[in-house]
Amino acid sequence: MQVIFSNRAYTAVISETSEKIKTETGGIFLGCFENGNWYVIEAIDPGPKAIFQVAYFEYDKKYTEHLINKLVQIYQAKLTLIGLWHRHPGSFDEFSSTDDGTNSDYAKMSANGAVSVLVNIDPKFRITPYHVAWPLKYTKIAYKVGDNLIPEHLLALRNAEKSLGYINSYADKLYSGNKTFDKPEIDFLRLLVSIKGKLQKTTLSKDDYKPEEAEKYRDFLIDSLLDDITYFSENRKLALKIEQNKGVLSLSHKGSSNIVTMIHFIYVAHKKQIVFSHDDDCYLYTPGLFTNLLTDFNPADVTFKSGLLRAFGIGNENKDL
């Protein structure tokens, strides 16, 4: 087992370390585990609102979540959150108790565990990669750098022609004076209504939602939803608003009739389930659920009165999960 950094990712680590030379800093890795190797394709910086101190560091989570959503759409391969790195003062190249908690959360996200890298300057730049398994176990592993060591399909960017075709088609209609061109989106609410009969209902009790516990799985939650969020954006042309608060991930959309549709997701740790709520009902969620159910959706198949259904929480912000 070894870590292989793309030229871009390795340079990003060095650049961030150089910029924050007097304090701790760090970043997040996007890539994949394949054939016994950890391939780090992107290293995301910690964000403008990160906390940088001599012996302490904290990510700007909203920024990193936003950037993850953007970067995974650039590549053909399915990149995921595979680990993180941060700098330690002096020659201290072991993990603190705080690091143990963070690394544990990352290790739980995948059966393959995660990668956690320490950076030291003592006095020259050096990195020490570890594989993190769950239950918490560290194994020091080797690393290499070079795009030539990474399979081509992991570095391949998505074909821009499809997006360009959509952009050019839209522009042609817009500037041709034809104001009757098709709407670029279908309401989020209509999509949800179309699949309600295929969803598996469940129930939540107050014991199922513990904010402190749910917050530990915020990264796992956004990673689990990435494929569906990408599907809504690329295939359905929906501009979804993504928010996370106290371990709850919310997706919302303002439709053509100014109806705001919102669904909320939480990870119930003791049940090992992701649950989402809509219109006062709760459903089990698995990665790719919406993509699979909506692939053959025809908007003409669903009709409803705009006032009949409402998004969870609209008009009653204090409603319990």
Side-chain angles (χ1 to χ4, degrees), residues 8-185:
R8 175 184 169 94
Y10 186 70
T11 302
V13 173
I14 294 175
S15 177
E16 178 61 29
T17 303
S18 174
E19 183 178 346
K20 299 294 188 298
I21 193 70
K22 296 180 180 180
T23 63
E24 283 199 14
T25 187
I28 292 175
F29 294 142
L30 287 180
C32 72
F33 180 76
E34 190 173 287
N35 298 323
N37 293 319
W38 292 93
Y39 292 102
V40 179
I41 308 302
E42 291 278 352
I44 297 175
D45 71 274
K49 294 184 180 180
I51 299 174
F52 305 96
Q53 298 178 5
V54 174
Y56 178 76
F57 161 70
E58 187 175 320
Y59 296 96
D60 179 351
K61 291 184 178 180
K62 286 188 176 181
Y63 169 85
T64 55
E65 289 163 4
H66 165 77
L67 208 53
I68 288 171
N69 290 337
K70 294 299 182 181
L71 287 175
V72 295
Q73 297 183 47
I74 295 175
Y75 292 89
Q76 289 185 23
K78 181 182 177 181
L79 301 186
T80 59
L81 189 61
I82 61 170
L84 68 165
W85 73 274
H86 71 286
R87 179 188 168 188
H88 267 187
S91 299
F92 182 51
D93 58 4
E94 297 181 359
F95 296 106
S96 66
S97 57
T98 300
D99 295 336
D100 288 343
T102 302
N103 286 330
S104 294
D105 290 340
Y106 276 74
K108 293 174 185 177
M109 293 181 187
S110 168
N112 297 314
V115 170
S116 189
V117 172
L118 291 176
V119 169
N120 295 96
I121 303 174
D122 56 354
K124 295 184 178 181
F125 174 90
R126 68 182 176 90
I127 67 174
T128 309
Y130 289 85
H131 172 249
V132 188
W134 178 253
L136 186 62
K137 179 183 178 182
Y138 295 114
T139 304
K140 190 180 293 187
I141 53 179
Y143 77 93
K144 295 180 181 179
V145 179
D147 289 353
N148 61 308
L149 303 174
I150 299 176
E152 291 185 3
H153 71 276
L154 296 182
L155 293 174
L157 303 179
R158 290 192 175 181
N159 190 338
E161 294 303 319
K162 183 177 180 181
S163 295
L164 284 174
Y166 170 77
I167 293 170
N168 292 334
S169 175
Y170 181 88
D172 286 344
K173 293 175 181 178
L174 181 64
Y175 292 107
S176 68
N178 179 8
K179 301 303 181 182
T180 62
F181 53 85
D182 295 335
K183 292 192 302 181
E185 64 178 42

Side-chain angles (χ1 to χ4, degrees), residues 241-256:
K241 183 178 181 180
I242 305 170
E243 298 177 284
Q244 280 189 296
N245 182 34
K246 296 182 180 179
V248 178
L249 187 151
S250 303
L251 299 182
S252 61
H253 174 255
K254 188 173 183 179
S256 57

Side-chain angles (χ1 to χ4, degrees), residues 185-199:
E185 64 178 42
I186 186 73
D187 284 353
F188 189 34
L189 179 56
R190 188 179 292 271
L191 293 175
L192 293 176
V193 171
S194 74
I195 61 172
K196 273 209 162 186
K198 301 177 183 178
L199 299 175

Side-chain angles (χ1 to χ4, degrees), residues 262 264 310 312-321:
M262 181 177 291
H264 304 280
R310 60 178 173 75
F312 176 88
I314 300 303
N316 186 358
E317 295 181 357
N318 296 319
K319 186 176 291 297
D320 293 333
L321 280 170

